[in-house]
Amino acid sequence: MTVLAVDIGGTKFAAAAVDADGAIAARAEIPLRHRARPEETLLEVVGRVTARVPAARLEGVGIGSAGPLDPVAGTVSPVNIPAWRGFPLVDALGGLLPGRPVRLAGDAQCMALGEWWKGLPERGPSGAVLGMVVSTGVGGGFVLDGAPYLGPTGNAGHIGHITADPDGEPCPCGAAGCVETVASGPSMVRWARANGWTGRDARALALDAHAGVAVAELAFRRAADALATAVLTAAALLDLDHVVVGGGVAAAGPVLLDPLGQAVARNAGLGFLRRLRVAATSLGRDAGLLGAAALVLPR
């Protein structure tokens, strides 16, 4: 059995044909080129996959998307894609593969599910995993005992919108001081530039942090502290075993993950919180695609 997996992020779309054992038969990734018409990028990235694996071979579609989303209606309204408000993503992709099942979940939920399926071989048959995507925004999703926990509206896990600073900056979601206002790539760059850094983007900020530039290092430490607040809040509520971190900003590696691990360890007061493992996704950019496929594949 082979299915189409689609991963919708704030700056790039990816798609893959995934077999039942998790093997990726074809894969494509495209930057979001037309922010006013994201569906053009969607059709292009899916078309690149179906050019290699014919649509007739694909037996379903799994979608991981930045949110908020409505899995019942099949619509998405990603905070960082303003052109999509209530966009009928399930219908749009279902129309490309008529008669096949289509399943929708959050992108971080899919990342966590992909890690549970293929990236955490030491896990037992039960347990709780938080996936965090740190990129243009900050997303999250839970897998509990092997199944994604979506919540009544499909939006469980929006960890980027836990309040890190009640007096903080306005967030695109409408609140203030959310984790995303400190720890997303654009937020980190904005803060660094306001404090004298002259670089352009999150990639350059990461390179400067690795090189020991003080303001860049501090931008990552601030982000790590905000993320640690969210992680420990979720862990206190759900007794988490693992946190896996992915996304473009997380690709910076130790300059984010080391201070994140230190902040979690420093502030984990309760004994059960101290067993929590925090690590980068072991599957890289494929975690979300594998999790989206797992929404459809029999498990």
Side-chain angles (χ1 to χ4, degrees):
M1 181 178 186
T2 304
V3 300
L4 175 67
V6 179
D7 185 11
I8 303 295
T11 56
K12 57 88 180 171
F13 290 178
V18 182
D19 297 335
D21 62 357
I24 294 178
R27 188 187 191 286
E29 182 175 311
I30 300 178
L32 182 52
R33 294 170 180 159
H34 308 295
R35 298 195 68 85
R37 301 184 302 279
E39 48 273 29
E40 293 184 13
T41 302
L42 178 65
L43 291 173
E44 183 178 354
V45 75
V46 171
R48 290 190 183 183
V49 172
T50 55
R52 294 176 58 193
V53 178
R57 281 183 51 198
L58 301 173
E59 299 182 49
V61 185
I63 311 166
S65 175
L69 49 84
D70 183 340
V72 176
T75 60
V76 299
S77 303
V79 171
N80 294 298
I81 306 179
W84 277 4
R85 290 294 174 265
F87 179 74
L89 183 57
V90 166
D91 285 347
L93 286 169
L96 300 177
L97 297 172
R100 264 62 67 88
V102 183
R103 303 285 183 267
L104 170 67
D107 57 344
Q109 291 163 338
C110 288
M111 188 191 81
L113 184 57
E115 285 288 340
W116 177 274
W117 181 28
K118 288 293 180 182
L120 292 171
E122 77 280 9
R123 60 152 177 82
S126 63
V129 177
L130 165 66
M132 281 199 310
V133 176
V134 186
S135 187
T136 311
V138 177
F142 300 108
V143 173
L144 307 180
D145 297 338
Y149 177 71
L150 306 183
T153 69
N155 289 286
H158 267 274
I159 201 162
H161 299 287
I162 287 176
T163 300
D165 178 4
D167 299 316
E169 293 184 13
C171 180
C173 78
C178 294
V179 169
E180 190 167 296
T181 67
V182 180
S184 73
S187 297
M188 292 169 63
V189 168
R190 188 166 56 249
W191 181 87
R193 290 182 65 84
N195 285 273
W197 186 66
T198 58
R200 249 178 66 179
D201 56 23
R203 187 184 299 270
L205 188 67
L207 290 172
D208 278 357
H210 279 289
V213 176
V215 69
E217 289 181 314
L218 185 53
F220 276 91
R221 285 201 298 273
R222 289 179 75 250
D225 285 345
L227 292 168
T229 296
V231 164
L232 288 170
T233 299
L237 291 172
L238 291 174
D239 194 8
L240 297 173
D241 299 290
H242 301 274
V243 177
V244 289
V245 187
V249 174
V255 294
L256 178 68
L257 293 169
D258 286 355
L260 173 57
Q262 292 159 9
V264 168
R266 184 171 63 247
N267 295 303
L270 296 169
F272 73 92
L273 295 177
R274 291 195 287 273
R275 67 183 180 81
L276 180 65
R277 299 184 187 182
V278 181
T281 168
S282 62
L283 301 173
R285 299 171 84 87
D286 290 337
L289 289 168
L290 291 169
L295 295 172
V296 188
L297 290 167
R299 288 181 290 120

